[in-house]
Amino acid sequence: MQPFDVKQPNRPTRDSAVEDQYEGAAAAAGYAAAHDGWGATARFFHSRLHAVLAAIAECPGGELIDVGCGPGMLVQRLLDTRPADFKITACDLSPAMVAAAAARAGDAGVHTMVARIEDLPVPDGGFDVVLAMGVLEYADADQGLRELARIVRPNGLVLVTMLNPRSIYRLFEWSIWWPALRLLGRLEKLVGVPVAKRHGAPITGIRAYSRRALCGKLRDLGLRPEDVVYFDLTPVPPPFDRVVRKFSRRWRAHPERTATRGLRRWMGTAYLVTARRTP
C-alpha cells in the first residue's frame, strides 16, 4: 500500500523541507513552546505524550533511546516521573534540538547524539526500549524501521507514532485546507498583499502510512505489534476545530479522553504502535 504523500508545488527536496522546519535554536525553542497553551499543536503533543507514557508504564526500565527527541520534552518527563528507571539516550538529526534536550536534561546523565534515524551510530541490540515519535513521516520509513529493529534487544519494545492518513482531520487538512491556503496566498501575491500578511501552508515533507501498512513493515522486520492506540481525537476538521477547542479544554486534566483503541479511532489524527522484538 502506498503512503499518503503531502505534495507541494515546486517544493524543495524532502530532506531540505524537513531540515528547514527544525534547524536552529529558534526552531528548537518554538517546538518546545508549542507544548504550552490551548491550541491544536499543544493538544496533539499532550495527547501523544500521554499515549507514549501509558504504553511504557508497565515497563520496568532499562536502556531507552528517544530517536527524534526534539528539544527533549519526553526525556524531561521521564526524568521527572521515573528518574531511576531508565538510562536514556536522546538522538535527533538537528544539532539545535539535541542541544536543547541536553540543556533540559541538565546533569541527569542523559547521553545525547546527533544522527539520522536511517543511520544510528549505536550497537546492535543495545536498548530495551526504542522510541520514535513523529519521525517516520519525515524520514525513509523502511530504513528507519530497519535501524529501530536492529538496535532493540530480543523481547524489547519499539514504540513508533505515525500521522493517521485515514482520519477525517488529516484528509481534510492535506487534501483541501492546505491547498486552499496556498491558492489564497498566490492570489494575495497577485493583488500586492505584503508577504508577512499572506496566507500559506507549511512545506513539510510528510509521508504517512496507514496502520495496516506500518504494522506490516514492523512484522517483516521481526517486530510483533502488540497494541495500537489512536490519539489526539479530533472530530472537526480545520479551521473549525479552533472554535471547538475554545470550549473544550478538559484534555489537559484528562488526556486519557484524547486517545482510544475503539470505534472512535477515525477521529485520531495520529496513532501509536507498540511492538515487541521477537527472540
Side-chain angles (χ1 to χ4, degrees):
M1 181 178 295
Q2 293 299 313
F4 188 103
D5 197 350
V6 181
K7 300 180 181 298
Q8 295 90 22
N10 301 318
R11 72 180 183 180
T13 65
R14 189 162 181 244
D15 281 352
S16 63
V18 173
E19 291 171 2
D20 287 346
Q21 294 174 78
Y22 302 111
E23 192 59 48
Y31 189 94
H35 287 70
D36 299 326
W38 297 95
T41 303
R43 187 180 190 276
F44 178 88
F45 284 144
H46 278 264
S47 184
R48 185 175 72 181
L49 186 61
H50 164 76
V52 172
L53 292 175
I56 61 173
E58 301 302 320
C59 180
E63 297 272 355
L64 179 149
I65 184 169
D66 184 6
V67 182
C69 64
M73 311 307 288
L74 171 64
V75 170
Q76 183 181 38
R77 182 63 69 89
L78 288 174
L79 292 174
D80 290 342
T81 60
R82 303 183 63 179
D85 290 347
F86 295 104
K87 183 177 180 182
I88 299 173
T89 297
C91 167
D92 201 283
L93 64 81
S94 165
M97 291 292 184
V98 172
R104 186 162 276 105
D107 59 356
V110 173
H111 177 61
T112 59
M113 67 174 68
V114 177
R116 302 183 65 89
I117 189 173
E118 300 95 337
D119 186 18
L120 297 170
V122 295
D124 295 357
F127 295 93
D128 301 287
V129 182
V130 177
L131 305 175
M133 298 189 304
V135 183
L136 292 174
E137 298 94 333
Y138 306 93
D140 180 332
D142 291 326
Q143 181 57 33
L145 288 171
R146 278 193 288 270
E147 281 291 88
L148 301 185
R150 178 183 67 80
I151 67 175
V152 69
R153 291 171 181 156
N155 289 316
L157 292 177
V158 173
L159 284 74
V160 296
T161 68
M162 176 65 63
L163 296 178
N164 181 14
R166 300 288 179 83
S167 73
I168 296 298
Y169 187 94
R170 296 299 176 196
L171 285 170
F172 190 91
E173 179 183 53
W174 294 341
S175 301
I176 298 175
W177 180 237
W178 283 1
L181 288 177
R182 296 187 189 104
L183 176 60
L184 179 57
R186 289 195 291 271
L187 293 175
E188 289 171 336
K189 180 180 179 180
L190 291 175
V191 300
V193 175
V195 174
K197 295 184 178 181
R198 293 176 198 163
H199 289 79
I203 297 175
T204 62
I206 291 172
R207 188 172 296 152
Y209 291 84
S210 69
R211 166 184 176 167
R212 180 178 179 181
L214 182 57
C215 287
K217 291 176 181 295
L218 291 167
R219 292 189 185 95
D220 290 343
L221 294 168
L223 299 170
R224 183 178 71 252
E226 293 187 338
D227 191 23
V228 179
V229 178
Y230 289 81
F231 59 89
D232 188 37
L233 303 182
T234 307
V236 183
F240 312 109
D241 61 313
R242 298 177 185 175
V243 177
V244 175
R245 293 182 201 283
K246 290 182 179 180
F247 303 99
S248 178
R249 295 191 169 187
R250 292 180 295 176
W251 52 268
R252 277 193 181 274
H254 298 282
E256 71 279 0
R257 297 180 182 177
T258 68
T260 187
R261 295 175 177 82
L263 296 177
R264 296 187 300 158
R265 59 183 178 270
W266 63 270
M267 293 192 291
T269 70
Y271 62 95
L272 165 70
V273 180
T274 301
R276 190 173 298 275
R277 178 64 167 166
T278 54

Tab-separated table of all heavy atoms in Angstrom, residues 74-96:
chain	number	residue	atom	x	y	z
A	74	LEU	N	9.898	14.624	26.116
A	74	LEU	CA	9.673	13.304	26.688
A	74	LEU	C	10.787	12.950	27.668
A	74	LEU	O	10.528	12.399	28.748
A	74	LEU	CB	9.592	12.250	25.592
A	74	LEU	CG	9.564	10.796	26.086
A	74	LEU	CD1	8.307	10.520	26.898
A	74	LEU	CD2	9.672	9.824	24.917
A	75	VAL	N	12.014	13.269	27.299
A	75	VAL	CA	13.147	12.996	28.187
A	75	VAL	C	12.935	13.678	29.537
A	75	VAL	O	13.118	13.064	30.598
A	75	VAL	CB	14.460	13.467	27.535
A	75	VAL	CG1	15.601	13.420	28.545
A	75	VAL	CG2	14.794	12.608	26.321
A	76	GLN	N	12.519	14.931	29.500
A	76	GLN	CA	12.274	15.660	30.739
A	76	GLN	C	11.176	15.008	31.567
A	76	GLN	O	11.300	14.881	32.792
A	76	GLN	CB	11.893	17.100	30.431
A	76	GLN	CG	11.685	17.958	31.673
A	76	GLN	CD	11.290	19.380	31.323
A	76	GLN	OE1	10.541	19.618	30.387
A	76	GLN	NE2	11.810	20.334	32.079
A	77	ARG	N	10.095	14.572	30.905
A	77	ARG	CA	9.001	13.941	31.639
A	77	ARG	C	9.458	12.626	32.289
A	77	ARG	O	9.093	12.339	33.437
A	77	ARG	CB	7.832	13.683	30.701
A	77	ARG	CG	6.621	13.057	31.382
A	77	ARG	CD	6.017	13.962	32.436
A	77	ARG	NE	5.404	15.111	31.833
A	77	ARG	CZ	4.131	15.151	31.422
A	77	ARG	NH1	3.365	14.089	31.563
A	77	ARG	NH2	3.655	16.245	30.893
A	78	LEU	N	10.257	11.842	31.571
A	78	LEU	CA	10.759	10.599	32.150
A	78	LEU	C	11.678	10.875	33.337
A	78	LEU	O	11.633	10.165	34.348
A	78	LEU	CB	11.496	9.785	31.092
A	78	LEU	CG	10.626	9.125	30.021
A	78	LEU	CD1	11.507	8.485	28.952
A	78	LEU	CD2	9.705	8.085	30.634
A	79	LEU	N	12.498	11.896	33.228
A	79	LEU	CA	13.378	12.250	34.336
A	79	LEU	C	12.580	12.724	35.546
A	79	LEU	O	12.961	12.480	36.691
A	79	LEU	CB	14.357	13.343	33.901
A	79	LEU	CG	15.408	12.937	32.869
A	79	LEU	CD1	16.211	14.142	32.423
A	79	LEU	CD2	16.335	11.855	33.421
A	80	ASP	N	11.455	13.386	35.294
A	80	ASP	CA	10.623	13.890	36.390
A	80	ASP	C	9.817	12.786	37.061
A	80	ASP	O	9.616	12.812	38.286
A	80	ASP	CB	9.659	14.966	35.869
A	80	ASP	CG	10.356	16.253	35.476
A	80	ASP	OD1	11.504	16.449	35.911
A	80	ASP	OD2	9.758	17.049	34.731
A	81	THR	N	9.340	11.828	36.265
A	81	THR	CA	8.416	10.828	36.795
A	81	THR	C	9.052	9.468	37.084
A	81	THR	O	8.566	8.735	37.948
A	81	THR	CB	7.233	10.623	35.829
A	81	THR	OG1	7.733	10.173	34.557
A	81	THR	CG2	6.466	11.934	35.629
A	82	ARG	N	10.115	9.125	36.351
A	82	ARG	CA	10.745	7.818	36.554
A	82	ARG	C	12.268	7.974	36.512
A	82	ARG	O	12.960	7.360	35.689
A	82	ARG	CB	10.274	6.834	35.474
A	82	ARG	CG	8.756	6.665	35.426
A	82	ARG	CD	8.321	5.637	34.405
A	82	ARG	NE	8.827	4.313	34.731
A	82	ARG	CZ	8.575	3.212	34.014
A	82	ARG	NH1	7.824	3.293	32.936
A	82	ARG	NH2	9.064	2.034	34.362
A	83	PRO	N	12.807	8.777	37.415
A	83	PRO	CA	14.231	9.147	37.328
A	83	PRO	C	15.202	7.987	37.495
A	83	PRO	O	16.328	8.054	36.999
A	83	PRO	CB	14.379	10.164	38.469
A	83	PRO	CG	13.286	9.817	39.435
A	83	PRO	CD	12.137	9.379	38.577
A	84	ALA	N	14.801	6.928	38.177
A	84	ALA	CA	15.731	5.829	38.430
A	84	ALA	C	15.513	4.632	37.518
A	84	ALA	O	16.244	3.642	37.610
A	84	ALA	CB	15.603	5.377	39.896
A	85	ASP	N	14.533	4.711	36.626
A	85	ASP	CA	14.155	3.525	35.852
A	85	ASP	C	14.937	3.351	34.558
A	85	ASP	O	15.233	2.227	34.155
A	85	ASP	CB	12.664	3.568	35.519
A	85	ASP	CG	11.791	3.355	36.737
A	85	ASP	OD1	12.331	2.927	37.786
A	85	ASP	OD2	10.581	3.620	36.655
A	86	PHE	N	15.227	4.452	33.887
A	86	PHE	CA	15.797	4.351	32.548
A	86	PHE	C	17.160	5.039	32.452
A	86	PHE	O	17.368	6.104	33.028
A	86	PHE	CB	14.864	4.980	31.508
A	86	PHE	CG	13.550	4.279	31.361
A	86	PHE	CD1	12.392	4.820	31.903
A	86	PHE	CD2	13.459	3.063	30.689
A	86	PHE	CE1	11.166	4.180	31.768
A	86	PHE	CE2	12.244	2.412	30.555
A	86	PHE	CZ	11.103	2.966	31.102
A	87	LYS	N	18.040	4.412	31.691
A	87	LYS	CA	19.266	5.065	31.250
A	87	LYS	C	18.974	5.560	29.839
A	87	LYS	O	18.787	4.763	28.919
A	87	LYS	CB	20.436	4.085	31.248
A	87	LYS	CG	21.759	4.740	30.871
A	87	LYS	CD	22.912	3.749	30.959
A	87	LYS	CE	24.229	4.418	30.578
A	87	LYS	NZ	25.360	3.447	30.617
A	88	ILE	N	18.938	6.890	29.656
A	88	ILE	CA	18.342	7.475	28.462
A	88	ILE	C	19.400	7.971	27.483
A	88	ILE	O	20.377	8.622	27.864
A	88	ILE	CB	17.419	8.651	28.858
A	88	ILE	CG1	16.284	8.142	29.766
A	88	ILE	CG2	16.837	9.323	27.621
A	88	ILE	CD1	15.424	9.254	30.328
A	89	THR	N	19.161	7.684	26.207
A	89	THR	CA	19.907	8.283	25.097
A	89	THR	C	18.922	9.102	24.272
A	89	THR	O	17.848	8.615	23.918
A	89	THR	CB	20.543	7.210	24.208
A	89	THR	OG1	21.501	6.464	24.967
A	89	THR	CG2	21.250	7.846	23.006
A	90	ALA	N	19.276	10.345	24.010
A	90	ALA	CA	18.431	11.243	23.218
A	90	ALA	C	19.133	11.541	21.902
A	90	ALA	O	20.290	11.952	21.881
A	90	ALA	CB	18.150	12.536	23.979
A	91	CYS	N	18.406	11.348	20.787
A	91	CYS	CA	19.010	11.459	19.462
A	91	CYS	C	18.109	12.275	18.555
A	91	CYS	O	16.883	12.137	18.586
A	91	CYS	CB	19.214	10.047	18.904
A	91	CYS	SG	19.611	9.976	17.149
A	92	ASP	N	18.714	13.122	17.715
A	92	ASP	CA	17.947	13.897	16.737
A	92	ASP	C	18.888	14.294	15.608
A	92	ASP	O	20.106	14.384	15.797
A	92	ASP	CB	17.342	15.145	17.382
A	92	ASP	CG	16.151	15.698	16.602
A	92	ASP	OD1	16.364	16.348	15.568
A	92	ASP	OD2	15.008	15.463	17.026
A	93	LEU	N	18.318	14.536	14.414
A	93	LEU	CA	19.160	14.961	13.293
A	93	LEU	C	19.531	16.435	13.389
A	93	LEU	O	20.444	16.896	12.708
A	93	LEU	CB	18.484	14.667	11.959
A	93	LEU	CG	17.171	15.370	11.589
A	93	LEU	CD1	17.404	16.772	11.046
A	93	LEU	CD2	16.416	14.557	10.546
A	94	SER	N	18.823	17.197	14.231
A	94	SER	CA	19.081	18.626	14.384
A	94	SER	C	20.004	18.887	15.574
A	94	SER	O	19.629	18.594	16.720
A	94	SER	CB	17.768	19.380	14.589
A	94	SER	OG	18.007	20.695	15.075
A	95	PRO	N	21.197	19.452	15.350
A	95	PRO	CA	22.078	19.792	16.479
A	95	PRO	C	21.413	20.735	17.476
A	95	PRO	O	21.638	20.626	18.685
A	95	PRO	CB	23.281	20.449	15.796
A	95	PRO	CG	23.279	19.894	14.408
A	95	PRO	CD	21.843	19.740	14.047
A	96	ALA	N	20.588	21.650	16.979
A	96	ALA	CA	19.908	22.594	17.879
A	96	ALA	C	18.939	21.866	18.797
A	96	ALA	O	18.815	22.196	19.981
A	96	ALA	CB	19.179	23.652	17.061
